[in-house]
Amino acid sequence: MNYNDYPTEPMGDGSLYRQCKSCKVPVLEINGELDKHRPWCEYRQEMKARQLRDELLEENLWLRFLLGQVFHSLPEQRDWLDPEIEKGMKAALESKPRTGR
C-alpha cells in the first residue's frame, strides 16, 4: 500500500521539498512507505491503529462464521450443553460486529 495522504509542510530555507508535518522526515525519503516515518509519528501511529482495527474486524467476522458453523451443526437435543453457553453463542451470532468507523 502506498501511504501518501499524510500532512506535509515545506522543509524551509526556500526549499521546494516537503516533509511530514508530524515527524519531519522528507517526503522523498518516505517514498510512500509507512515504516519510513518515525515510530512516534502521529500519522504512522494512526495508520497502524487502523490496520490493526481492520485485521481485528476481519478476524471477528471469521470467528463469528466459525461459531455459526459449530452452533448450527449441533444436534437439536442439547441438554448436555450449559444453557448459559448456548445463550452466549446465540447472542454472539445475533449481535452485529462494530466496525469502529
Side-chain angles (χ1 to χ4, degrees), residues 45-89:
Q45 290 177 353
E46 182 182 333
M47 291 299 109
K48 292 282 188 177
R50 283 185 189 182
Q51 286 175 346
L52 180 59
R53 183 195 64 218
D54 291 346
E55 289 169 8
L56 289 173
L57 177 60
E58 186 175 325
E59 182 178 11
N60 181 284
L61 292 172
W62 181 73
L63 289 172
R64 285 169 179 268
F65 170 76
L66 290 179
L67 178 62
Q69 295 295 311
V70 168
F71 185 73
H72 294 300
S73 68
L74 292 174
E76 285 293 319
Q77 183 65 5
R78 296 192 273 260
D79 55 352
W80 51 270
L81 182 62
D82 183 329
E84 289 301 312
I85 291 176
E86 184 169 3
K87 182 179 171 184
M89 290 174 80

Side-chain angles (χ1 to χ4, degrees), residues 9 15-16 19 22 30 34 39 50-51 58 69 73 83 85 90 92 97:
E9 65 185 9
S15 174
L16 298 177
Q19 62 189 8
S22 177
I30 293 171
L34 187 58
R50 283 185 189 182
Q51 286 175 346
E58 186 175 325
Q69 295 295 311
S73 68
I85 291 176
K90 285 181 180 177

Side-chain angles (χ1 to χ4, degrees), residues 30-41:
I30 293 171
N31 197 27
E33 295 181 43
L34 187 58
D35 289 336
K36 290 197 176 173
H37 287 268
R38 301 283 186 254
W40 45 263
C41 178

